[in-house]
Amino acid sequence: MLYHKNKNIVFIGFMGVGKGTISRALIKKIKCFGLDTDDLIESMENRKIKAIFEEDGEAYFRKLERKTAKWLEKNVKNAVISTGGGFFKVENLDSIGTIVYLRSSFDGILRRLREHENADLKFAKRPLLSDEEKARTLFKERSPLYEAKADVIINVEEQNVEAIVKEIIAVLKLKKEKE
Ligand code: S3P
């Protein structure tokens, strides 16, 4: 592996860019365990992200992200970690692992989500995607911030998952478990 910070790989990027899908595909190829920060938060709280936003608001959710980030830094090694789209703002992100930004245009992301067989669900579970124009503004605000945080940037638009995973393995010089 090229980068060693805690030996985790941390995917960051905008909602719907495919962080979860790409992590799961990568984990199948290398010797690593997989975790997702939204899943960790949902199990800790025993409720969905959408319910956390509705019942306690975004600020509370961000607090949970910071708690999760501290726990990951202390306790997790050798994992592929996919994160929620706003997780990159935690102050210790850099200490959790090698940060890989999955980059696509906003329209590319919308296209990807709309083509999905469960498209309605993909939108419904993401409170910050409910208003397209607001989401586009958020995307514009965040894009340079994602880039600034990244150790590695992977362009995912118009690329299939297999090709993306191959590129990540090559760029990070990861050891493949099996062909
Ligand atoms: C968020 C992204 C979501 C989830 C929450 C907030 C964001 O995760 O953490 O709805 O601020 O961008 P995904 O990136 O998996 O959609």
Side-chain angles (χ1 to χ4, degrees):
M1 186 175 170
L2 181 57
Y3 299 94
H4 280 279
K5 289 183 285 172
N6 260 3
K7 281 202 175 176
N8 293 309
I9 296 168
V10 184
F11 284 117
I12 63 167
F14 203 69
M15 289 173 273
V17 77
K19 290 163 291 187
T21 304
I22 291 161
S23 310
R24 287 187 291 274
L26 176 63
I27 289 158
K28 285 195 179 141
K29 300 272 180 189
I30 61 171
K31 264 197 186 132
C32 257
F33 196 77
L35 290 173
D36 177 273
T37 60
D38 281 347
D39 289 348
L40 290 170
I41 289 170
E42 286 187 344
S43 59
M44 172 166 60
E45 288 277 306
N46 192 27
R47 55 187 173 150
K48 297 284 179 197
I49 302 292
K50 191 168 184 267
I52 299 174
F53 267 72
E54 281 167 7
E55 292 160 13
D56 289 300
E58 183 174 345
Y60 177 73
F61 174 72
R62 300 300 172 201
K63 211 161 91 184
L64 296 174
E65 287 192 316
R66 292 194 290 274
K67 180 175 176 180
T68 306
K70 285 190 189 132
W71 180 81
L72 287 170
E73 180 186 349
K74 267 207 188 127
N75 299 293
V76 176
K77 284 192 173 58
N78 269 316
V80 173
I81 303 169
S82 53
T83 65
F87 187 85
F88 75 104
K89 290 198 170 170
V90 299
E91 63 178 26
N92 64 331
L93 186 72
D94 205 49
S95 314
I96 299 175
T98 302
I99 303 162
V100 179
Y101 170 38
L102 302 180
R103 180 167 65 190
S104 162
S105 70
F106 186 69
D107 291 320
I109 289 171
L110 285 185
R111 229 176 2 257
R112 176 179 179 274
L113 287 174
R114 285 185 181 136
E115 278 166 7
H116 201 276
E117 55 181 298
N118 290 324
D120 288 350
L121 185 74
K122 294 262 161 200
F123 283 94
K125 72 173 197 179
R126 295 183 162 101
L128 299 178
L129 262 189
S130 60
D131 179 323
E132 189 179 316
E133 280 324 297
K134 276 195 190 149
R136 195 181 289 275
T137 305
L138 187 62
F139 178 86
K140 279 193 197 136
E141 274 169 29
R142 280 185 182 170
S143 290
L145 306 178
Y146 287 130
E147 305 219 352
K149 288 267 178 171
D151 294 310
V152 169
I153 299 176
I154 305 284
N155 284 311
V156 298
E157 196 161 345
E158 309 291 342
Q159 273 214 83
N160 66 34
V161 174
E162 203 181 329
I164 297 165
V165 166
K166 218 170 154 187
E167 189 180 333
I168 295 167
I169 288 173
V171 173
L172 295 183
K173 300 198 190 334
L174 301 173
K175 236 167 95 195
K176 277 204 247 175
E177 187 170 21
K178 53 187 178 274
E179 233 356 277

